[in-house]
Amino acid sequence: MEALENRVQPYAWGSLTAIPSLLGQPPTGSPQAELWLGAHPSAPSTLGNGVTLDSLLATSPGTLLGPKVLARFGPRLPFLLKVLAAAQPLSLQAHPTLAQAKAGYAKEEAADVPRSAPHRNYKDDNHKPEIICALTDFHALCGFRRVADSVRLFKGLGLDTSVLEQHGLRGYFEHVMTLPPSARGALVDQLVDASRSPVPGFEAECLLAQRLSTAYPRDIGIVGALLLNLVILKPGEALYLDAGNLHAYLEGTGIELMANSDNVLRGGLTPKHVDVPELLSVLDFRDGPPHVLRPEGEGEATYPTPAPDFRLSRLTLDGERTLPPGLPQILLVTEGSFEAQGQSFGRGRSVFIGADETVTLRGQATIFRATPGL
Ligand SMILES: [Zn+2]
């Protein structure tokens, strides 16, 4: 078992206070958007002796990752755990399937697109399913709202819904995203102006349009955002974002667990590159309400997902609990403290446990536990 020191990502949308408060540190005055716990080469966690977790895993992958992970994923930790603290909306985005990621990556490699180029879509050849579990009320956009409801909202805003009604979500989304820039700006202006008089039943969505317009003036992503389900997770509730799901995190603090990948295709609400044809090729246009995951089970509550790369659970430790060997895992304490192997770990502390270790925890604590989903 190794205590971890984790890297903070200072993205501009981050909260000034949430991550410092979890870590028991004073705010620095700069945004702290994400805390990364894992072995991702661009910001790996480090151990007490300064060695990074990815280099430790490379020294004895068989022992630390275990035979199951080695056979399925090769010599790397298949997941990345994050604390995400959003004060401002993040970009509208979707992630590819494994097959799409492999094909897209191979194509860009063959075309010699530098991996750091701003217009590069596929940074690696992996898929990136993810789960977000709320620590505070957490606002997000997730998947397309039922078309009939979007037609009602857009009609209420005085927008032309004929393309949406005749050609469905794919046809309408493609139409909007490929409008000439001047027509796009005019459409966003019309929507944002109309949203000042809230449409009955869609008051929160209309407020959101105002807010997005302040953060991203005239961004066509505002139209896309208003086609999605607006969800407010209560602490402990979670969303699973599978390949093709169009989503955006808006505000709040959560625990995020994902496959070890950086493949993001954006659809707006960002100054970054938006590749419309590539985005359209991965999007899942099925409509309907989002599936909110609630923890299942006492003591160790799990959030079941189909992803083999990861499994998230929340341990409520009250006394003693032994974690069996077999898979590598990362634990993060969000409340209380536990003691193991003669060391004490309080709120904000985290550890890596190798696949060969049996560890007994003692104490009173809420602990998020990440393992592969095998
Ligand atoms: Zn995402």
Side-chain angles (χ1 to χ4, degrees), residues 93 95 128 130 247 249 256:
Q93 58 182 256
H95 309 295
K128 187 177 175 281
E130 62 194 28
H247 59 279
Y249 300 145
E256 196 186 20

Side-chain angles (χ1 to χ4, degrees), residues 49 96 151 167 251 263 269 271 287:
N49 54 10
V151 167
H167 300 283
E251 186 177 4
N263 283 328
L269 309 182
D287 61 336

